[in-house]
Amino acid sequence: PAQAATFREWGRTLRRFFEATELETAVALLNDELQRIPMHPHLTDHGDPAGLHMHYAPPSSDLPLRFRAATLMYLSELVVQHGLTRTGVCAADGCDRVYADTSRSGRRRFCSESCANRTNVAAFRARKRQT
């Protein structure tokens, strides 16, 4: 709870990235944030089921900073591999959540299965009313 405000602020910062429609804008946003975070990439294995994996912030960093560093690196890698085709704002009416599509097909348009299902059911019912 003590760090909730910090995470909400980070969400508002990242929102601009997910709303970006131009690659140059998204890259500039990521680069600007990458410059603000001290990065010290290192491999770690803390004995959990995840096994060996990367951490990007210094080991002594607090959770919000580690989360920011990891988020920036993962989004940067997604943009390098796919441009902006795999990120965006949920297409469901009334939903303002964002998504990062890491699926094989890369056709995601919704933040969750719930939003996708609700949208598809609404479209189905609308088609039924027209017939």
Side-chain angles (χ1 to χ4, degrees), residues 41-127:
H42 57 281
L43 293 166
T44 188
D45 179 1
H46 8 136
D48 59 21
L52 191 62
H53 59 279
M54 292 291 297
H55 280 201
Y56 300 99
S60 61
S61 300
D62 64 359
L63 182 61
L65 182 62
R66 288 183 301 187
F67 188 79
R68 286 177 64 184
T71 304
L72 287 170
M73 293 305 295
Y74 296 142
L75 289 175
S76 297
E77 187 63 31
L78 193 64
V79 168
V80 164
Q81 291 179 8
H82 302 286
L84 292 181
T85 62
R86 302 234 177 170
T87 59
V89 178
C90 184
D93 287 340
C95 183
D96 66 349
R97 291 183 178 178
V98 299
Y99 65 88
D101 185 356
T102 59
S103 71
R104 176 176 256 170
S105 66
R107 297 186 322 200
R108 188 170 178 174
R109 297 184 313 126
F110 302 98
C111 67
S112 66
E113 288 295 319
S114 295
C115 277
N117 290 339
R118 190 173 60 254
T119 300
N120 290 333
V121 167
F124 173 79
R125 289 179 178 160
R127 284 191 305 273

Side-chain angles (χ1 to χ4, degrees), residues 22-24 32 74 82 90 94 106 120 129-130:
E22 300 292 326
L23 183 60
E24 295 77 19
D32 183 50
Y74 296 142
H82 302 286
C90 184
N120 290 333
R129 280 193 300 269
Q130 290 177 347

